[in-house]
Amino acid sequence: YCGLTNGSVQVYNMDTGKMDFLLESVGENALVGVNSSIIVSVLENNSITSIWSKKEGSKLYYGRNHPAGTNVGCVKVTEENIFTGSADGSIAIMEIGYGLGKKGWGLKWLLE
């Protein structure tokens, strides 16, 4: 997994060394985290979080979890949660079951 300065993420096959697919986001400087089933990118400059299925590359979530204008500097992905931290000191915690209709990934807490 390689986060690019244009906001996209390159996903490589570890067996062949070739790129499997490109996950595209609009922005700059993609920070990347993964677990067994998802790939997460957070764009530093606009705090947009994208979540994709690791298997198909389909987008599961797209949204801003930190206040607009803050720079996100880190992302940590576990099997149950996604944590992002920004320069304003806020920490966003995402979890399955907090998305639309109480399904999928969504913001559980924004600690400010």
Side-chain angles (χ1 to χ4, degrees):
Y1 310 96
C2 182
L4 304 176
T5 57
N6 70 0
S8 298
V9 177
Q10 293 174 328
V11 179
Y12 289 89
N13 182 308
M14 295 298 290
D15 295 324
T16 66
K18 296 182 180 181
M19 188 170 70
D20 277 347
F21 44 88
L22 180 68
L23 305 173
E24 296 187 43
S25 286
V26 177
E28 295 177 1
N29 301 331
L31 305 173
V32 181
V34 299
N35 70 16
S36 64
S37 61
I38 59 171
I39 301 166
V40 178
S41 76
V42 181
L43 302 179
E44 279 185 21
N45 65 332
N46 64 10
S47 69
I48 296 292
T49 300
S50 297
I51 304 172
W52 291 276
S53 163
K54 201 173 191 182
K55 189 174 183 179
E56 300 92 24
S58 57
K59 192 171 278 188
L60 306 173
Y61 176 89
Y62 177 87
R64 177 178 285 126
N65 294 326
H66 292 273
T70 59
N71 289 336
V72 175
C74 61
V75 59
K76 171 69 177 169
V77 181
T78 68
E79 293 301 318
E80 291 87 27
N81 297 101
I82 299 167
F83 302 90
T84 57
S86 77
D88 70 351
S90 64
I91 299 170
I93 303 171
M94 298 182 71
E95 189 171 295
I96 288 275
Y98 284 83
L100 293 174
K102 303 286 185 194
K103 297 180 181 180
W105 288 94
L107 183 64
K108 181 177 183 180
W109 299 103
L110 180 60
L111 310 174
E112 298 183 274

